[in-house]
Amino acid sequence: MARVFVITGPSGVGKGTLIRGLMERVAQLELSVSATTRAPRLGERDGVDYHFLTRTEFNTKVNEGAFVEHADYAGRSYGTLRSELERRVRAGTPVVLEIEVQGARQVRAAMPEAVQVFIAPPSLPALRTRLVGRGTDDHNEVERRLMVAEHELKAQPEFAHVVVNDRLDEALERLVAIVTAELD
Ligand code: ADP
Ligand code: 5GP
């Protein structure tokens, strides 16, 4: 049976970085491309990093039932399209979802067999340093994301796996170990 891996945790914790490393190490994994109403960042490509949708397009897809899960995050909408997930599951390809906590809860309710991993920062100051250092978000956006992060961190006990991303190499080893154990 194909497996679904949900990687969640606050913005800036290193989910994207860890997932890039994971995909290099476990070649059979494919990443689900989410839909969002937020604007593309410099260098982001439509259909590759996200399916960038207008608010109207996103709402139409919600009404059509096109999403496995969707949530509002820092004033924008994000969602996992059924089309991204179902064809891979049918083909037996293990798939990775990189989503925030509300979406992870919806996936847990719909697909309790999905493997859920919460990536935690070593501390809130470290998370701030990473968000600022990434340079993709202005001051207000960083503060919005840190406020959401404080709530998200309280959700850790809900998750079967928690990986603290302190040293990147160690966190990647732990994530690879969790995923390969499930695939075996
Ligand atoms: P997310 O996808 O969770 O929003 P990113 O993968 O974009 O987070 O990482 C946010 C920033 O933190 C990036 O600049 C990344 O290079 C950096 N980063 C990731 N992991 C670590 C780590 N273990 N230690 C220090 N910096 C990190
Ligand atoms: P960003 O704007 O930094 O790309 O993403 C903001 C947050 O939305 C991150 O926590 C990211 O994991 C989350 N996210 C990305 N795609 C999805 C999705 O399809 N569904 C949900 N629920 N969250 C998502």
Side-chain angles (χ1 to χ4, degrees):
M1 198 184 82
R3 305 304 304 261
V4 174
F5 295 94
V6 173
I7 312 293
T8 193
S11 179
V13 74
K15 298 182 299 295
T17 307
L18 284 166
I19 289 171
R20 276 194 295 281
L22 175 68
M23 310 282 290
E24 279 174 21
R25 295 274 299 273
V26 187
Q28 72 208 91
L29 294 173
E30 289 189 10
L31 187 61
S32 163
V33 179
S34 295
T36 183
T37 61
R38 89 152 159 72
R41 294 178 182 138
L42 199 66
E44 282 185 333
R45 288 173 298 162
D46 188 32
V48 177
D49 299 287
Y50 277 105
H51 300 287
F52 292 102
L53 304 183
T54 63
R55 168 68 54 196
T56 307
E57 288 168 335
F58 194 96
N59 289 345
T60 300
K61 289 202 183 294
V62 171
N63 292 333
E64 290 170 349
F67 289 114
V68 178
E69 60 75 30
H70 64 90
D72 287 340
Y73 174 91
R76 305 289 177 182
S77 295
Y78 296 80
T80 304
L81 292 161
R82 290 189 192 284
S83 55
E84 286 285 325
L85 205 54
E86 284 173 357
R87 69 187 155 85
R88 294 186 171 106
V89 169
R90 263 199 305 276
T93 305
V95 51
V96 175
L97 308 186
E98 196 239 280
I99 64 179
E100 51 70 74
V101 167
Q102 304 169 75
R105 288 189 179 123
Q106 293 173 44
V107 174
R108 189 188 307 142
M111 288 186 277
E113 71 282 9
V115 178
Q116 300 223 347
V117 185
F118 188 99
I119 311 293
S123 66
L124 270 174
L127 187 63
R128 178 188 293 273
T129 303
R130 287 180 197 177
L131 271 173
V132 172
R134 186 168 70 184
T136 52
D137 302 289
D138 66 25
H139 174 75
N140 288 343
E141 183 68 27
V142 167
E143 293 307 320
R144 249 196 308 274
R145 286 171 182 245
L146 284 169
M147 267 167 46
V148 178
E150 290 197 40
H151 286 286
E152 291 180 318
L153 290 174
K154 296 198 178 94
Q156 276 179 75
E158 295 172 26
F159 290 86
H161 304 282
V162 176
V163 173
V164 179
N165 182 19
D166 189 355
R167 280 194 47 185
L168 182 61
D169 52 351
E170 286 174 7
L172 180 58
E173 283 312 320
R174 287 212 47 214
L175 184 60
V176 168
I178 290 165
V179 169
T180 50
E182 291 289 343
L183 288 174
D184 277 347

